[in-house]
Amino acid sequence: MRCHYEVLGLRRDCTDDDLKKAYRKLALKWHPDKNLDNSEEAAEQFKVIQAAYDVISDPQERAWYDNHRDALLKGGVDGEYQDDSLDLVQYFTVTCYSGYGDDEEGFYAVYRRIFQLIVKEEMESKINDGGEEYPTFGDSESDYDTVVHPFYAYWQSFCTVKNFAWKEEYDTRQASNRWEKRAMEKENKKTRDKGRKERNELVRELVAFIRKRDKRVQAHRKMVEEQNAEKAKKVEELRRQQKLQNAKLAEQYKEQSWMAMSELEKELQQMEAQYDKEFGDGLEDDEEEAEEQQDGRASDEGDEEELLYDDLYCPACDKVCQSEKAMRNHEKSKKHREMVALLRQQLEAEEEEFSNSVGEETSAMEDEDQILSEEEDEELQEETPKPKLSKKQKKKQKSSKSPEESHAVESDRETSAAAEPKANKAELNGVAEQQEDPEPEAEDTTTAETKPTAKLKGKKAKELKKAAKMAAAEENPEQDAEASLRCNTCGKEFPTRNKLFTHLKNTGHALAVSNPSANTAATSKKERRKNK
């Protein structure tokens, strides 16, 4: 089988215009109607030209042909093809060459011929004739910088141009649908990549094997080592010479006049030592001063360390940073912001609790002060005698008062009238308690406290009354219980309230209690009528 590009006389990177021109030219030349003398040969040649043009003119057919060209030319893609590229494994031994001369069986001639064959295979596989140049192996006399070094630099990173299409397992032209075709192409690509990788590694390993035994490389390496040794010797010699020069300069050095004060200082120190021995303990004072200075320095250093520690300490996270930059980065972090927000909430909650407690204390103190001031005012009013008014003056005061004030006065009178019987009852109870419990001093204090509360007005009076009742109940709960669980008519005592109520129902000992407020209201109305 001939190559389609060779049949048409074209390069593998030809354009569509070049393809058409070449096809027309060959079709006119080998058409059977124009070759009547040799019609059979012309017909066969025309068929080959027509087949080549049909394949290359179709982009898909041309791409497939370019990938499988080597396989088609060397046996086809039906499994009969065998790779006829150069076998490099046999050149990994020392027996493949004899000596390091330039003869045909020598080291350089054998491996130069091998790399020429590799280059030829690569050039055949290339689509474009142009491109990179392959450096040659050279001979035993080749220069290292111009031939040897470029050769090893290129071939140690060699990548083949062959596509290894002959190793494909599936023929994509036999696929029934596009999904099957894509799967075949994927598997074929894996096998091609695997073959290309194996070829590259084989060539690179052969280059490493050759470089290790190349006398040119060994000579250059030895020369470089010698040069490095000479450079090291020169550097050491220069260092030694510089040391000698510095020693000579030190010997020739003379102290300047302005630097001669050191001798005077030594003499002064000697004189001070003599005076201290003869007249005093100056040395001890100097030592004390030196110790004080050292202590001061140590304290200053400690203060500086504390300042630095305060600057680099985060109280919210309880963390110490190593530097200011680390502290700034820590302040920008999300964790630090969350801890600061939490700490702020805790502080605000504590402040609210403290302010509430302080407000309650201050309000309680203010209430106590107001109660005390009102009690003092009432005591002063009681102590100061009121002047007696005539009937005319009383009438004038009544006429001058507004209806609201008169209504308030009447309500005050009613409350005082209602409070009088309660006070009388409290006095009677107090007398009975004196007879039962001989504790006159404590009772006097309680009565003294209850007297002014009856004269107070509004909510404060009610609160004081409740407090007095609660205190009395706490002091003698047994008496209250006895008084409440005793029949007023027969004087019989009961352990529970239920039993007392059943006794009252059965015996009829329940008594009606007179309402003193109604009586006081009636009397007050009568007095009003008389005054009118």
Side-chain angles (χ1 to χ4, degrees), residues 131-148:
E132 58 185 351
E133 296 180 356
Y134 296 92
T136 58
F137 186 65
D139 53 13
S140 61
E141 301 295 331
S142 298
D143 185 35
Y144 182 84
D145 296 328
T146 57
V147 178
V148 180

Side-chain angles (χ1 to χ4, degrees), residues 446-459:
T446 55
T447 54
E449 289 178 356
T450 55
K451 279 181 181 179
T453 56
K455 296 178 182 179
L456 293 174
K457 299 177 182 180
K459 293 181 180 180

Side-chain angles (χ1 to χ4, degrees), residues 227-280:
Q227 290 177 357
N228 291 333
E230 289 178 359
K231 288 179 181 179
K233 288 180 181 179
K234 288 180 180 179
V235 170
E236 193 67 28
E237 186 66 24
L238 288 172
R239 286 180 183 175
R240 191 175 62 80
Q241 289 177 1
Q242 286 179 357
K243 286 181 180 179
L244 292 173
Q245 288 178 1
N246 292 332
K248 288 179 181 179
L249 292 172
E251 291 176 357
Q252 295 175 1
Y253 175 74
K254 290 183 180 180
E255 190 175 9
Q256 300 293 330
S257 60
W258 59 272
M259 297 176 67
M261 294 297 291
S262 59
E263 296 179 357
L264 295 174
E265 289 179 357
K266 291 179 182 179
E267 292 179 359
L268 289 172
Q269 289 177 0
Q270 291 177 0
M271 291 172 68
E272 288 176 356
Q274 290 178 1
Y275 283 121
D276 291 334
K277 288 180 182 179
E278 293 178 0
F279 300 105

Side-chain angles (χ1 to χ4, degrees), residues 86-93 96 107 111 114-115 118 137 151-152 155-156 199-213:
L86 183 62
D87 186 13
L88 301 177
V89 178
Q90 59 182 341
Y91 296 101
F92 278 89
T93 61
C96 66
F107 177 83
Y111 286 110
I114 290 169
F115 283 102
I118 295 171
F137 186 65
F151 173 81
Y152 286 111
W155 288 97
Q156 282 177 341
R199 181 67 176 179
N200 293 334
E201 290 178 354
L202 188 62
V203 173
R204 292 172 188 174
E205 289 175 0
L206 179 63
V207 172
F209 177 82
I210 296 168
R211 188 173 185 274
K212 186 176 180 182
R213 289 157 180 80

Side-chain angles (χ1 to χ4, degrees), residues 483-525:
S484 60
L485 300 177
R486 184 184 295 170
C487 182
N488 292 329
T489 56
C490 64
K492 190 176 179 180
E493 294 180 357
F494 297 94
T496 60
R497 293 175 67 182
N498 293 329
K499 291 182 179 180
L500 176 62
F501 292 153
T502 53
H503 170 72
L504 293 173
K505 287 180 181 179
N506 296 327
T507 58
H509 289 176
L511 297 176
V513 180
S514 62
N515 190 4
S517 61
N519 296 328
T520 54
T523 55
S524 62
K525 288 180 181 178

Side-chain angles (χ1 to χ4, degrees), residues 264-428:
L264 295 174
E265 289 179 357
K266 291 179 182 179
E267 292 179 359
L268 289 172
Q269 289 177 0
Q270 291 177 0
M271 291 172 68
E272 288 176 356
Q274 290 178 1
Y275 283 121
D276 291 334
K277 288 180 182 179
E278 293 178 0
F279 300 105
D281 297 329
L283 290 171
E284 295 178 357
D285 297 337
D286 294 337
E287 290 177 355
E288 290 177 357
E289 290 178 358
E291 289 177 356
E292 290 177 357
Q293 290 178 359
Q294 290 178 356
D295 295 335
R297 291 173 184 172
S299 62
D300 294 338
E301 290 176 355
D303 296 336
E304 290 177 356
E305 289 178 355
E306 289 178 358
L307 291 171
L308 290 171
Y309 182 80
D310 293 337
D311 293 336
L312 302 177
Y313 175 69
C314 178
C317 303
D318 193 14
K319 181 179 178 182
V320 180
C321 298
Q322 298 295 329
S323 62
E324 293 180 357
K325 187 175 181 181
M327 188 65 185
R328 288 195 294 271
N329 293 332
H330 173 69
E331 289 175 353
K332 293 178 183 178
S333 64
K334 185 178 179 181
K335 184 179 180 182
H336 173 76
R337 292 175 183 173
E338 292 177 355
M339 294 300 292
V340 169
L342 182 62
L343 183 62
R344 187 180 289 111
Q345 291 176 0
Q346 292 177 357
L347 293 173
E348 289 176 356
E350 290 178 358
E351 287 180 359
E352 288 179 359
E353 291 178 359
F354 181 72
S355 61
N356 293 331
S357 63
V358 172
E360 291 175 358
E361 290 178 0
T362 53
S363 62
M365 293 291 289
E366 289 175 357
D367 294 338
E368 290 178 359
D369 293 337
Q370 288 179 0
I371 292 165
L372 291 172
S373 62
E374 289 175 358
E375 290 177 356
E376 289 176 358
D377 294 337
E378 289 176 357
E379 289 177 359
L380 290 172
Q381 289 177 4
E382 290 177 357
E383 290 176 359
T384 56
K386 295 181 180 179
K388 294 182 179 180
L389 299 174
S390 63
K391 292 182 178 179
K392 292 181 178 180
Q393 290 176 350
K394 289 180 180 178
K395 288 180 180 179
K396 287 180 181 180
Q397 286 181 356
K398 288 179 181 179
S399 62
S400 62
K401 287 180 181 178
S402 61
E404 294 179 356
E405 291 178 353
S406 62
H407 181 69
V409 170
E410 289 177 0
S411 62
D412 293 340
R413 286 177 182 175
E414 289 177 359
T415 54
S416 61
E420 283 178 0
K422 292 181 181 179
N424 292 329
K425 285 183 181 180
E427 289 177 359
L428 292 171

Side-chain angles (χ1 to χ4, degrees), residues 216-233:
R216 299 171 299 181
V217 177
Q218 294 176 2
H220 182 265
R221 188 180 294 132
K222 187 176 180 181
M223 183 181 68
V224 170
E225 290 176 356
E226 290 176 356
Q227 290 177 357
N228 291 333
E230 289 178 359
K231 288 179 181 179
K233 288 180 181 179

